[in-house]
Amino acid sequence: MAGDVALDETLLPLVSAHGSLLAASGPVLHEYGSSVRIGIGGGGRPLAALNEESLSDAEKSGLQAFRLRLSEPYRARKASRPYADVPWGSSTAVPQLHRDRQAVIRGAPVAQDPSAAPAGAPEAKRLAGRVAVGLVIVSGPGSLAMTDAQTRKIVAEVQNGLSYLGGQAPARDVTFVYDIQVAQIDVPDTQSAPPAGTKPDDLYEYYERPWRDAALAAIGQAPGGSGIRSYIRSIKAQKSAQAAYCAFFTHYTLHHFAYCSGSYLTMQYSNDGWGPENLDRIFAHETGHIFGAPDEYAESGCDCGGAWGFHRRPNLNCESCADNSVDCIMKRNTWAMCDETPYHLGYTMTGV
Ligand SMILES: [Zn+2]
């Protein structure tokens, strides 16, 4: 077991003597490049032999993350993670995952150009097949710098969170394919209060825009929604993926510490009161929103209706109205999933 995800994960031996890609013997869960693919199954032989000197930076990151997840200290920290099983909406001990229900899946932050508005997540219709994941790790000046250790932690937390989501797919047909960018920028933090009268939805953009657009420039993209879409589409094409999304990780001040904006996520490394040890579950939860899964905790204002996600199903596990609401990653800090979320995520379901 890697991390605290109840799955048998293994580093797949991949490259033949002729350098061609060998078919994997089982489902591939994570792909960082042709030489580093992590699969399901392996019978307790997690690490294949590998010529590590020839690996790309992304492959090295993925391998490092997997080794970290296999390590005893990492697994011990996961076994005693703070706020385990606490509902996301709990206001007693930790901040709410979303400040208000509008933040669940908020509108496009850069919708001034209607043709640029990513209504929903057009590049991420369902969690099935190859899913390109762009990680944009934003490193600013001084205390805003993302250290190498923090970058390694982010890659490992994302891997742990997506091992859970991928491992839950009934058809075992989800492969996360990564693009990892470290964006070095030098813009200052936005710490001043926003102008009076700023609309609630614009508060996200007020804090996010300066560093985000600088990060987009650092990875060769235009500012705002058009740059984000261009990046997501480029990794989708590069990785021959059926779906794609991206996530920015930062130390910069945000209006809220984790949120989903159509096709992308914004995550603060400190993860507010939940702490970096819970980045994996917050990332899994927010990825749920990317694919159209609704919140299920009462404070989100959920109700049991609607037509959510690829399969257009109601939110029957919303704890405000469900008779027997069960644990779920969309409801609390746990590796559990209700019977409806697989449909919301758009997993390949037999009989559907
Ligand atoms: Zn949520």
Side-chain angles (χ1 to χ4, degrees), residues 88 97-98 103-105 258-260 282 285-286 288-289 293-297 300 329-331:
W88 294 128
L97 184 51
H98 306 290
V104 170
I105 303 177
Y259 52 92
C260 170
I282 303 258
H285 174 98
E286 297 296 335
H289 290 319
D295 282 313
E296 297 174 0
Y297 57 93
S300 71
I329 186 66
M330 299 314 292
K331 180 173 147 185

PDB file of all heavy atoms in Angstrom, residues 88 97-98 103-105 258-260 282 285-286 288-289 293-297 300 329-331, ligand 1:
ATOM      1  N   TRP A  88     -16.496  18.408   5.811  1.00  0.00           N
ATOM      2  CA  TRP A  88     -15.879  19.569   5.161  1.00  0.00           C
ATOM      3  C   TRP A  88     -16.525  20.870   5.619  1.00  0.00           C
ATOM      4  O   TRP A  88     -15.904  21.922   5.568  1.00  0.00           O
ATOM      5  CB  TRP A  88     -15.984  19.458   3.642  1.00  0.00           C
ATOM      6  CG  TRP A  88     -15.218  18.342   3.020  1.00  0.00           C
ATOM      7  CD1 TRP A  88     -15.711  17.416   2.155  1.00  0.00           C
ATOM      8  CD2 TRP A  88     -13.819  18.035   3.155  1.00  0.00           C
ATOM      9  NE1 TRP A  88     -14.706  16.561   1.748  1.00  0.00           N
ATOM     10  CE2 TRP A  88     -13.544  16.915   2.355  1.00  0.00           C
ATOM     11  CE3 TRP A  88     -12.772  18.610   3.881  1.00  0.00           C
ATOM     12  CZ2 TRP A  88     -12.272  16.346   2.265  1.00  0.00           C
ATOM     13  CZ3 TRP A  88     -11.506  18.058   3.797  1.00  0.00           C
ATOM     14  CH2 TRP A  88     -11.269  16.938   2.994  1.00  0.00           C
ATOM     15  N   LEU A  97     -14.447  24.092   3.785  1.00  0.00           N
ATOM     16  CA  LEU A  97     -13.749  23.847   2.529  1.00  0.00           C
ATOM     17  C   LEU A  97     -14.112  24.929   1.508  1.00  0.00           C
ATOM     18  O   LEU A  97     -13.276  25.387   0.761  1.00  0.00           O
ATOM     19  CB  LEU A  97     -14.107  22.463   2.001  1.00  0.00           C
ATOM     20  CG  LEU A  97     -13.402  21.998   0.747  1.00  0.00           C
ATOM     21  CD1 LEU A  97     -11.897  22.145   0.873  1.00  0.00           C
ATOM     22  CD2 LEU A  97     -13.755  20.555   0.461  1.00  0.00           C
ATOM     23  N   HIS A  98     -15.347  25.316   1.499  1.00  0.00           N
ATOM     24  CA  HIS A  98     -15.782  26.405   0.635  1.00  0.00           C
ATOM     25  C   HIS A  98     -16.418  27.460   1.517  1.00  0.00           C
ATOM     26  O   HIS A  98     -17.121  27.138   2.454  1.00  0.00           O
ATOM     27  CB  HIS A  98     -16.800  25.922  -0.390  1.00  0.00           C
ATOM     28  CG  HIS A  98     -16.308  24.764  -1.178  1.00  0.00           C
ATOM     29  ND1 HIS A  98     -15.304  24.874  -2.096  1.00  0.00           N
ATOM     30  CD2 HIS A  98     -16.649  23.462  -1.142  1.00  0.00           C
ATOM     31  CE1 HIS A  98     -15.058  23.683  -2.607  1.00  0.00           C
ATOM     32  NE2 HIS A  98     -15.849  22.800  -2.041  1.00  0.00           N
ATOM     33  N   ALA A 103     -19.067  29.156  -4.042  1.00  0.00           N
ATOM     34  CA  ALA A 103     -17.675  28.745  -4.286  1.00  0.00           C
ATOM     35  C   ALA A 103     -17.573  27.277  -4.667  1.00  0.00           C
ATOM     36  O   ALA A 103     -16.516  26.811  -5.043  1.00  0.00           O
ATOM     37  CB  ALA A 103     -16.830  28.994  -3.042  1.00  0.00           C
ATOM     38  N   VAL A 104     -18.682  26.568  -4.587  1.00  0.00           N
ATOM     39  CA  VAL A 104     -18.629  25.139  -4.879  1.00  0.00           C
ATOM     40  C   VAL A 104     -18.094  24.923  -6.283  1.00  0.00           C
ATOM     41  O   VAL A 104     -17.079  24.285  -6.482  1.00  0.00           O
ATOM     42  CB  VAL A 104     -20.019  24.504  -4.705  1.00  0.00           C
ATOM     43  CG1 VAL A 104     -20.026  23.088  -5.234  1.00  0.00           C
ATOM     44  CG2 VAL A 104     -20.407  24.537  -3.245  1.00  0.00           C
ATOM     45  N   ILE A 105     -18.791  25.457  -7.241  1.00  0.00           N
ATOM     46  CA  ILE A 105     -18.218  25.523  -8.586  1.00  0.00           C
ATOM     47  C   ILE A 105     -18.556  26.918  -9.058  1.00  0.00           C
ATOM     48  O   ILE A 105     -19.621  27.170  -9.584  1.00  0.00           O
ATOM     49  CB  ILE A 105     -18.824  24.477  -9.539  1.00  0.00           C
ATOM     50  CG1 ILE A 105     -18.650  23.078  -8.970  1.00  0.00           C
ATOM     51  CG2 ILE A 105     -18.184  24.568 -10.901  1.00  0.00           C
ATOM     52  CD1 ILE A 105     -19.267  21.990  -9.798  1.00  0.00           C
ATOM     53  N   ALA A 258      -8.997  26.790  -1.179  1.00  0.00           N
ATOM     54  CA  ALA A 258      -9.097  25.726  -2.200  1.00  0.00           C
ATOM     55  C   ALA A 258     -10.405  25.915  -2.923  1.00  0.00           C
ATOM     56  O   ALA A 258     -11.461  25.984  -2.278  1.00  0.00           O
ATOM     57  CB  ALA A 258      -9.042  24.345  -1.552  1.00  0.00           C
ATOM     58  N   TYR A 259     -10.337  26.040  -4.232  1.00  0.00           N
ATOM     59  CA  TYR A 259     -11.595  26.185  -4.971  1.00  0.00           C
ATOM     60  C   TYR A 259     -11.428  25.761  -6.419  1.00  0.00           C
ATOM     61  O   TYR A 259     -10.319  25.638  -6.933  1.00  0.00           O
ATOM     62  CB  TYR A 259     -12.147  27.617  -4.887  1.00  0.00           C
ATOM     63  CG  TYR A 259     -11.192  28.720  -5.268  1.00  0.00           C
ATOM     64  CD1 TYR A 259     -11.133  29.190  -6.572  1.00  0.00           C
ATOM     65  CD2 TYR A 259     -10.367  29.305  -4.308  1.00  0.00           C
ATOM     66  CE1 TYR A 259     -10.285  30.229  -6.915  1.00  0.00           C
ATOM     67  CE2 TYR A 259      -9.507  30.339  -4.645  1.00  0.00           C
ATOM     68  CZ  TYR A 259      -9.467  30.800  -5.951  1.00  0.00           C
ATOM     69  OH  TYR A 259      -8.607  31.821  -6.283  1.00  0.00           O
ATOM     70  N   CYS A 260     -12.576  25.531  -7.016  1.00  0.00           N
ATOM     71  CA  CYS A 260     -12.640  25.048  -8.402  1.00  0.00           C
ATOM     72  C   CYS A 260     -13.280  26.121  -9.256  1.00  0.00           C
ATOM     73  O   CYS A 260     -14.329  26.648  -8.907  1.00  0.00           O
ATOM     74  CB  CYS A 260     -13.497  23.772  -8.428  1.00  0.00           C
ATOM     75  SG  CYS A 260     -13.932  23.197 -10.075  1.00  0.00           S
ATOM     76  N   ILE A 282      -8.255  17.073  -0.106  1.00  0.00           N
ATOM     77  CA  ILE A 282      -8.847  18.308  -0.646  1.00  0.00           C
ATOM     78  C   ILE A 282      -8.702  18.289  -2.170  1.00  0.00           C
ATOM     79  O   ILE A 282      -9.625  18.671  -2.897  1.00  0.00           O
ATOM     80  CB  ILE A 282      -8.153  19.545  -0.047  1.00  0.00           C
ATOM     81  CG1 ILE A 282      -8.252  19.499   1.487  1.00  0.00           C
ATOM     82  CG2 ILE A 282      -8.730  20.830  -0.633  1.00  0.00           C
ATOM     83  CD1 ILE A 282      -9.245  20.349   2.161  1.00  0.00           C
ATOM     84  N   HIS A 285     -11.286  15.956  -3.523  1.00  0.00           N
ATOM     85  CA  HIS A 285     -12.612  16.571  -3.429  1.00  0.00           C
ATOM     86  C   HIS A 285     -12.796  17.623  -4.534  1.00  0.00           C
ATOM     87  O   HIS A 285     -13.816  17.626  -5.240  1.00  0.00           O
ATOM     88  CB  HIS A 285     -12.765  17.209  -2.036  1.00  0.00           C
ATOM     89  CG  HIS A 285     -14.014  17.990  -1.853  1.00  0.00           C
ATOM     90  ND1 HIS A 285     -15.136  17.473  -1.231  1.00  0.00           N
ATOM     91  CD2 HIS A 285     -14.354  19.247  -2.217  1.00  0.00           C
ATOM     92  CE1 HIS A 285     -16.093  18.380  -1.216  1.00  0.00           C
ATOM     93  NE2 HIS A 285     -15.640  19.475  -1.810  1.00  0.00           N
ATOM     94  N   GLU A 286     -11.812  18.497  -4.684  1.00  0.00           N
ATOM     95  CA  GLU A 286     -11.931  19.555  -5.698  1.00  0.00           C
ATOM     96  C   GLU A 286     -11.919  18.967  -7.111  1.00  0.00           C
ATOM     97  O   GLU A 286     -12.576  19.479  -8.009  1.00  0.00           O
ATOM     98  CB  GLU A 286     -10.802  20.582  -5.527  1.00  0.00           C
ATOM     99  CG  GLU A 286     -10.831  21.328  -4.199  1.00  0.00           C
ATOM    100  CD  GLU A 286     -12.067  22.198  -4.008  1.00  0.00           C
ATOM    101  OE1 GLU A 286     -12.674  22.609  -5.010  1.00  0.00           O
ATOM    102  OE2 GLU A 286     -12.443  22.446  -2.850  1.00  0.00           O
ATOM    103  N   GLY A 288     -13.270  16.258  -7.823  1.00  0.00           N
ATOM    104  CA  GLY A 288     -14.672  15.857  -7.973  1.00  0.00           C
ATOM    105  C   GLY A 288     -15.503  16.965  -8.603  1.00  0.00           C
ATOM    106  O   GLY A 288     -16.298  16.734  -9.520  1.00  0.00           O
ATOM    107  N   HIS A 289     -15.286  18.200  -8.131  1.00  0.00           N
ATOM    108  CA  HIS A 289     -16.027  19.329  -8.711  1.00  0.00           C
ATOM    109  C   HIS A 289     -15.663  19.556 -10.168  1.00  0.00           C
ATOM    110  O   HIS A 289     -16.517  19.918 -10.980  1.00  0.00           O
ATOM    111  CB  HIS A 289     -15.740  20.604  -7.920  1.00  0.00           C
ATOM    112  CG  HIS A 289     -16.342  20.623  -6.554  1.00  0.00           C
ATOM    113  ND1 HIS A 289     -17.614  20.146  -6.304  1.00  0.00           N
ATOM    114  CD2 HIS A 289     -15.863  21.062  -5.371  1.00  0.00           C
ATOM    115  CE1 HIS A 289     -17.880  20.301  -5.013  1.00  0.00           C
ATOM    116  NE2 HIS A 289     -16.837  20.839  -4.415  1.00  0.00           N
ATOM    117  N   ALA A 293     -19.130  16.708  -9.772  1.00  0.00           N
ATOM    118  CA  ALA A 293     -19.721  16.151  -8.551  1.00  0.00           C
ATOM    119  C   ALA A 293     -20.078  17.286  -7.588  1.00  0.00           C
ATOM    120  O   ALA A 293     -19.278  18.196  -7.381  1.00  0.00           O
ATOM    121  CB  ALA A 293     -18.744  15.183  -7.878  1.00  0.00           C
ATOM    122  N   PRO A 294     -21.258  17.244  -6.998  1.00  0.00           N
ATOM    123  CA  PRO A 294     -21.669  18.293  -6.061  1.00  0.00           C
ATOM    124  C   PRO A 294     -21.203  17.996  -4.636  1.00  0.00           C
ATOM    125  O   PRO A 294     -20.928  16.846  -4.284  1.00  0.00           O
ATOM    126  CB  PRO A 294     -23.192  18.224  -6.136  1.00  0.00           C
ATOM    127  CG  PRO A 294     -23.481  16.780  -6.401  1.00  0.00           C
ATOM    128  CD  PRO A 294     -22.332  16.263  -7.249  1.00  0.00           C
ATOM    129  N   ASP A 295     -21.155  19.044  -3.822  1.00  0.00           N
ATOM    130  CA  ASP A 295     -20.899  18.860  -2.390  1.00  0.00           C
ATOM    131  C   ASP A 295     -22.056  18.098  -1.758  1.00  0.00           C
ATOM    132  O   ASP A 295     -23.201  18.195  -2.204  1.00  0.00           O
ATOM    133  CB  ASP A 295     -20.772  20.224  -1.704  1.00  0.00           C
ATOM    134  CG  ASP A 295     -19.420  20.855  -1.940  1.00  0.00           C
ATOM    135  OD1 ASP A 295     -18.411  20.161  -1.776  1.00  0.00           O
ATOM    136  OD2 ASP A 295     -19.388  22.050  -2.294  1.00  0.00           O
ATOM    137  N   GLU A 296     -21.731  17.391  -0.675  1.00  0.00           N
ATOM    138  CA  GLU A 296     -22.766  16.614   0.018  1.00  0.00           C
ATOM    139  C   GLU A 296     -22.865  16.979   1.493  1.00  0.00           C
ATOM    140  O   GLU A 296     -23.623  16.352   2.226  1.00  0.00           O
ATOM    141  CB  GLU A 296     -22.471  15.113  -0.137  1.00  0.00           C
ATOM    142  CG  GLU A 296     -22.529  14.649  -1.585  1.00  0.00           C
ATOM    143  CD  GLU A 296     -22.095  13.203  -1.777  1.00  0.00           C
ATOM    144  OE1 GLU A 296     -21.744  12.545  -0.776  1.00  0.00           O
ATOM    145  OE2 GLU A 296     -22.092  12.746  -2.935  1.00  0.00           O
ATOM    146  N   TYR A 297     -22.089  17.960   1.945  1.00  0.00           N
ATOM    147  CA  TYR A 297     -22.191  18.349   3.365  1.00  0.00           C
ATOM    148  C   TYR A 297     -23.236  19.449   3.503  1.00  0.00           C
ATOM    149  O   TYR A 297     -23.430  20.276   2.603  1.00  0.00           O
ATOM    150  CB  TYR A 297     -20.841  18.754   3.943  1.00  0.00           C
ATOM    151  CG  TYR A 297     -20.118  19.868   3.230  1.00  0.00           C
ATOM    152  CD1 TYR A 297     -20.283  21.191   3.635  1.00  0.00           C
ATOM    153  CD2 TYR A 297     -19.269  19.599   2.162  1.00  0.00           C
ATOM    154  CE1 TYR A 297     -19.622  22.217   2.996  1.00  0.00           C
ATOM    155  CE2 TYR A 297     -18.606  20.619   1.514  1.00  0.00           C
ATOM    156  CZ  TYR A 297     -18.785  21.926   1.930  1.00  0.00           C
ATOM    157  OH  TYR A 297     -18.126  22.950   1.290  1.00  0.00           O
ATOM    158  N   SER A 300     -22.910  23.248   2.732  1.00  0.00           N
ATOM    159  CA  SER A 300     -22.762  23.686   1.337  1.00  0.00           C
ATOM    160  C   SER A 300     -24.086  24.171   0.766  1.00  0.00           C
ATOM    161  O   SER A 300     -24.125  24.767  -0.304  1.00  0.00           O
ATOM    162  CB  SER A 300     -22.235  22.530   0.480  1.00  0.00           C
ATOM    163  OG  SER A 300     -23.242  21.537   0.320  1.00  0.00           O
ATOM    164  N   ILE A 329     -16.151  11.301   0.060  1.00  0.00           N
ATOM    165  CA  ILE A 329     -15.130  12.333  -0.126  1.00  0.00           C
ATOM    166  C   ILE A 329     -15.780  13.684  -0.442  1.00  0.00           C
ATOM    167  O   ILE A 329     -15.202  14.732  -0.166  1.00  0.00           O
ATOM    168  CB  ILE A 329     -14.129  11.915  -1.250  1.00  0.00           C
ATOM    169  CG1 ILE A 329     -12.963  12.890  -1.377  1.00  0.00           C
ATOM    170  CG2 ILE A 329     -14.832  11.746  -2.589  1.00  0.00           C
ATOM    171  CD1 ILE A 329     -12.035  12.946  -0.201  1.00  0.00           C
ATOM    172  N   MET A 330     -16.986  13.703  -0.989  1.00  0.00           N
ATOM    173  CA  MET A 330     -17.670  14.957  -1.274  1.00  0.00           C
ATOM    174  C   MET A 330     -18.390  15.494  -0.032  1.00  0.00           C
ATOM    175  O   MET A 330     -18.995  16.552  -0.085  1.00  0.00           O
ATOM    176  CB  MET A 330     -18.657  14.785  -2.439  1.00  0.00           C
ATOM    177  CG  MET A 330     -18.019  14.364  -3.759  1.00  0.00           C
ATOM    178  SD  MET A 330     -16.503  15.304  -4.219  1.00  0.00           S
ATOM    179  CE  MET A 330     -17.199  16.936  -4.537  1.00  0.00           C
ATOM    180  N   LYS A 331     -18.282  14.767   1.060  1.00  0.00           N
ATOM    181  CA  LYS A 331     -18.967  15.189   2.283  1.00  0.00           C
ATOM    182  C   LYS A 331     -18.008  15.435   3.448  1.00  0.00           C
ATOM    183  O   LYS A 331     -18.209  16.357   4.229  1.00  0.00           O
ATOM    184  CB  LYS A 331     -19.968  14.097   2.652  1.00  0.00           C
ATOM    185  CG  LYS A 331     -20.780  14.361   3.896  1.00  0.00           C
ATOM    186  CD  LYS A 331     -21.831  13.271   4.034  1.00  0.00           C
ATOM    187  CE  LYS A 331     -22.118  12.944   5.475  1.00  0.00           C
ATOM    188  NZ  LYS A 331     -23.050  11.811   5.591  1.00  0.00           N
TER     189      LYS A 331
HETATM  190 ZN    ZN B   1     -16.665  21.151  -2.428  1.00  0.00          ZN
END
